[in-house]
Amino acid sequence: MINNDGKIFSIKNFMQKVGRTMSTISAVLLIFVLIVFVLLWYSSPGKMKPYLDENGNILKGSISEKIHVKINGIEQGMIIKSKDVTKPVLLYLHGGPGMPLYFLNEKYPANLEENFTVCWWDQRGAGLSYNSNIPVETMNVDQFISDTIEVTKYLRDRFGKDKIYLMGHSWGSLVGIRTAEKAPHLYSAYIGMAQMANQMKSEQIAYEYMLSEYKNIGDTKMAKKLEKIKVTETGDSLTPEYKAIRDKAMHRFHIGTTRDMDSVITGIFLPSLQNSEYTLSEKIDLWRGKISSGRIMFNKEVMSKDLTKVVTELKIPVYFCIGAYDYTCNYSLAEDYFEKLKAPLKGLYIFDKSAHSPVFEEPLKMNNIIKLDILTLTNNLADKK
């Protein structure tokens, strides 16, 4: 039998061992964090990669730059890339809201600069344009339309173009199509990539599809989570509970950002950290902007809009590029919108290997369409006209 002194000694000895173990764990974690930080810092020089000729010299007439321009009183960042600055200018409006995807070019080369001088503009409050001091009241659709027009004017003046091309991707397609309606004289054509139409209806379709699929594979845990959440077309916003599991649920069935993307972590977060053309602080701002913009913008103004009733006609050629597996901005709703939309020339292109990002998923097909149809303002390759 152990006496009281022995018990006290044993407890003290045990606590000392626990203390040493915790200190070791803390030291290991600290070293791990420092190693990760050093690796991130080392892989984040933030310098743009130039285009080189066969002799290793900077390609004559090319451009590869990261700049900030004051747009409607706010410093906003953009990346401009081209192998030949005399080519037509394309303004790419990213999705999200607040999620620039330029960094995906490393894993999924879109090669848009083969045909365009491309401006990858980070919209107000996002990525290179993140600023915690941006007034919340300016984060609205009308302001984004105004910003788009001002960026367009900057690009026209800088590159000496009367008109440029406008591509809206996902959330960017809501801003893009409304901008094209408001200022058609600025654009040669509008390209809707994963075009939004009626987002709450799209969310309902995706919700019902996922609920059915999770039941089919016997994942009762996820099915029960979804059953507790009601997503209906008559709603005007997504609940926090649904937003918390939405992307994870979608990517498991490959109906999210790309067909081969299993999760946001491995498909988006890690690639964003690996891109060497961003500094470490810019990578941090990328996700700060995503969080703040998503919180502000995914509201009634965005979710409850039925664009088929808001924008019924454009005065310029319109091209819709939709992924056959896109449930983020439902492909069938985009197709229905295309058929209702009036325009002097229309072309709908179905990418049968893509989900939400045909420009990254099927770049060869996309650039062929650009070269043969969009730049010639025809629709010979279109699946629907």
Side-chain angles (χ1 to χ4, degrees):
M1 184 175 181
I2 302 174
N3 59 28
N4 289 338
D5 290 341
K7 287 181 180 178
I8 293 172
F9 176 78
S10 297
I11 292 172
K12 285 182 178 179
N13 191 39
F14 173 75
M15 293 305 295
Q16 288 173 351
K17 288 182 179 180
V18 170
R20 287 194 295 269
T21 301
M22 293 303 295
S23 296
T24 301
I25 292 173
S26 298
V28 170
L29 288 174
L30 179 59
I31 292 171
F32 175 76
V33 170
L34 287 173
I35 290 173
V36 170
F37 178 82
V38 170
L39 289 174
L40 283 174
W41 178 81
Y42 182 76
S43 64
S44 308
K47 295 182 179 180
M48 298 302 299
K49 297 176 181 177
Y51 294 107
L52 304 177
D53 61 21
E54 62 274 11
N55 297 317
N57 299 315
I58 294 178
L59 186 66
K60 186 177 180 179
S62 67
I63 185 172
S64 180
E65 69 173 27
K66 178 171 53 179
I67 60 171
H68 284 80
V69 178
K70 184 163 282 190
I71 303 296
N72 286 326
I74 300 293
E75 289 288 333
Q76 301 192 35
M78 59 190 72
I79 288 172
I80 301 179
K81 304 272 288 186
S82 180
K83 291 184 176 181
D84 180 356
V85 293
T86 66
K87 287 185 178 294
V89 175
L90 172 73
L91 174 56
Y92 172 86
L93 304 180
H94 64 72
M99 191 69 250
L101 290 179
Y102 168 77
F103 62 85
L104 280 186
N105 268 294
E106 288 204 355
K107 185 176 181 180
Y108 305 96
N111 294 322
L112 292 174
E113 64 276 10
E114 297 289 340
N115 294 297
F116 291 113
T117 293
V118 188
C119 177
W120 302 86
W121 164 47
D122 288 7
Q123 300 161 27
R124 173 180 295 247
L128 298 172
S129 304
Y130 175 76
N131 186 330
S132 60
N133 294 320
I134 293 176
V136 174
E137 62 271 17
T138 70
M139 298 289 286
N140 60 73
V141 174
D142 286 341
Q143 183 65 65
F144 281 93
I145 293 171
S146 177
D147 285 356
T148 303
I149 291 173
E150 290 306 307
V151 172
T152 298
K153 291 178 179 178
Y154 165 77
L155 294 171
R156 289 168 70 233
D157 291 343
R158 177 172 176 182
F159 294 103
K161 306 293 186 183
D162 291 330
K163 297 182 179 182
I164 70 170
Y165 289 81
L166 183 64
M167 178 185 289
H169 186 184
S170 191
W171 143 260
S173 71
L174 181 152
V175 176
I177 201 165
R178 291 189 60 184
T179 302
E181 179 196 39
K182 184 173 183 178
H185 62 287
L186 298 178
Y187 305 103
S188 297
Y190 168 69
I191 307 159
M193 184 74 53
Q195 178 66 46
M196 287 182 69
N198 182 333
Q199 195 55 29
M200 275 309 299
K201 188 171 184 178
S202 175
E203 297 293 344
Q204 180 191 22
I205 293 171
Y207 167 80
E208 291 176 350
Y209 172 81
M210 290 188 293
L211 179 58
S212 174
E213 288 301 303
Y214 277 108
K215 286 182 177 179
N216 287 340
I217 66 173
D219 189 338
T220 56
K221 184 177 180 180
M222 180 62 83
K224 286 180 179 178
K225 285 183 179 180
L226 288 170
E227 284 178 330
K228 291 179 181 179
I229 304 165
K230 298 299 178 183
V231 179
T232 64
E233 182 184 346
T234 56
D236 57 22
S237 63
L238 300 180
T239 65
E241 293 80 10
Y242 181 60
K243 286 192 286 187
I245 64 172
R246 174 182 179 271
D247 287 348
K248 178 181 179 181
M250 280 189 172
H251 282 92
R252 183 171 176 184
F253 288 112
H254 306 284
I255 57 172
T257 308
T258 67
R259 283 285 287 159
D260 67 350
M261 196 174 289
D262 296 319
S263 76
V264 173
I265 298 299
T266 59
I268 297 179
F269 180 69
L270 292 180
S272 75
L273 297 181
Q274 294 165 353
N275 189 286
S276 63
E277 293 181 311
Y278 289 97
T279 65
L280 183 54
S281 63
E282 287 168 347
K283 292 175 181 179
I284 293 171
D285 283 346
L286 178 72
W287 289 98
R288 293 174 73 187
K290 167 58 180 172
I291 293 169
S292 62
S293 296
R295 184 170 57 246
I296 294 168
M297 290 302 301
F298 253 108
N299 55 21
K300 183 177 180 179
E301 182 186 23
V302 175
M303 300 303 296
S304 64
K305 291 288 185 183
D306 183 351
L307 281 173
T308 66
K309 298 177 181 178
V310 175
V311 179
T312 60
E313 182 177 5
L314 291 185
K315 303 298 184 182
I316 59 175
V318 177
Y319 300 93
F320 278 12
C321 300
I322 59 178
Y325 297 92
D326 190 357
Y327 278 79
T328 304
C329 293
N330 188 266
Y331 62 92
S332 63
L333 297 180
E335 188 171 358
D336 179 64
Y337 186 16
F338 173 84
E339 292 174 350
K340 294 177 180 178
L341 186 65
K342 296 178 182 178
L345 182 109
K346 300 194 301 181
L348 176 101
Y349 305 85
I350 299 172
F351 290 71
D352 56 13
K353 298 177 183 178
S354 296
H356 191 53
S357 307
V359 67
F360 295 115
E361 297 177 86
E362 297 183 63
L364 290 177
K365 180 175 180 176
M366 185 69 234
N367 280 289
N368 196 48
I369 291 168
I370 288 170
K371 184 177 180 179
L372 299 179
D373 272 10
I374 296 176
L375 288 177
T376 61
L377 299 180
T378 58
N379 57 7
N380 297 319
L381 300 179
D383 294 296
K384 288 190 176 182
K385 304 176 182 180

